[in-house]
Amino acid sequence: AEWGEAEAPFLCGEAALRLPPDAPYELFFPLRRGRFNYSGSAGAGANGAPSRAHSAQEVSDSLARLWAHAILEVLEISAEELPSMGVLLLVRDSYERREVREMLDVLSAIGFGALALHLRSSCACLGAGLQSGCVVEIDSDTVEVAVVDDGVPLSKARYCLPFGRRDVEHYLSWLLEAERGGVLSPASLCLEGFLPTPPAPAAPTTFADEAPP
């Protein structure tokens, strides 16, 4: 791989992924498994330092930098244009109210003139011209299933699984290495934030708009 060079206090996107292993940076993903990533980076940092816990403010600040980079530099939208624009934020059905409020605050601070919020499953059905349906969303690290009836997602008929395409790729790579005679432990399949190590009973999934028993 061709490593990039870095001198800025923080990097986003492709520049962050191309840092050399000895770079004095911490590789951090603000969102992981469909939630704010408080537990730390996805493994070690770019400089080999172990991951660490992050506060809610640190996660929000990282998300703000990432979105500002995407909007201002990748999409090349000037800051002067933002007040005349609106943004539609699509959230997953198993959302956390506090995290959604944080994301709206981030978008407002970036400078958008109007904000709107909607559920992904409803938009998927309405975009396909359907009033009802079962929506299955396969993301890089989550799979979410939601039933939509008359344009409204049913709160008792939705579920979020903490694995996705990236985990399938990881598992297939693990099988190929084993087929080539590599000595691999099943514990190497335990990903941070997915399968616990050692195995422990999984906690039941709850949703923000459901009252506790």
Side-chain angles (χ1 to χ4, degrees):
E2 181 181 351
W3 301 114
E5 297 182 358
E7 296 180 355
F10 64 87
L11 299 169
C12 296
E14 189 75 18
L17 296 176
R18 294 178 57 194
L19 284 172
D22 58 346
Y25 289 87
E26 177 191 14
L27 185 61
F28 177 64
F29 297 88
L31 300 175
R32 197 155 185 264
R33 307 289 178 192
R35 294 284 186 268
F36 278 19
N37 185 14
Y38 301 111
S39 61
S41 59
N47 59 357
S51 61
R52 63 178 180 85
H54 291 76
S55 67
Q57 187 62 49
E58 286 179 307
V59 175
S60 296
D61 291 344
S62 297
L63 189 61
R65 295 189 187 106
L66 186 61
W67 281 355
H69 168 79
I71 294 167
L72 301 176
E73 299 185 29
V74 178
L75 298 179
E76 298 182 349
I77 300 175
S78 66
E80 291 74 17
E81 297 177 273
L82 294 179
S84 62
M85 294 183 172
V87 60
L88 172 62
L89 178 63
L90 298 181
V91 298
R92 61 181 65 248
D93 292 81
S94 56
Y95 62 88
E96 291 285 344
R97 294 180 185 272
R98 178 180 51 80
E99 294 180 358
V100 171
R101 285 196 298 267
E102 290 286 343
M103 289 189 283
L104 290 174
D105 289 342
V106 167
L107 291 171
S108 178
I110 290 176
F112 284 103
L115 301 175
L117 181 69
H118 218 302
L119 295 176
R120 293 182 185 179
S121 59
S122 295
C123 290
C125 278
L126 296 176
L130 302 173
Q131 288 186 334
S132 304
C134 180
V135 180
V136 180
E137 180 183 359
I138 303 176
D139 210 337
S140 63
D141 53 9
T142 56
V143 174
E144 187 157 20
V145 182
V147 176
V148 179
D149 183 28
D150 208 11
V152 179
L154 303 180
S155 61
K156 301 296 184 181
R158 59 190 185 188
Y159 197 77
C160 182
L161 302 173
F163 57 83
R165 296 191 308 268
R166 185 174 58 187
D167 303 297
V168 175
E169 294 170 358
H170 181 78
Y171 178 65
L172 292 177
S173 176
W174 186 87
L175 291 178
L176 290 174
E177 288 293 332
E179 183 69 21
R180 287 198 291 261
V183 180
L184 299 175
S185 168
S188 64
L189 286 175
C190 294
L191 305 178
E192 181 183 354
F194 176 37
L195 294 178
T197 305
T205 301
T206 57
F207 299 101
D209 57 348
E210 294 181 4

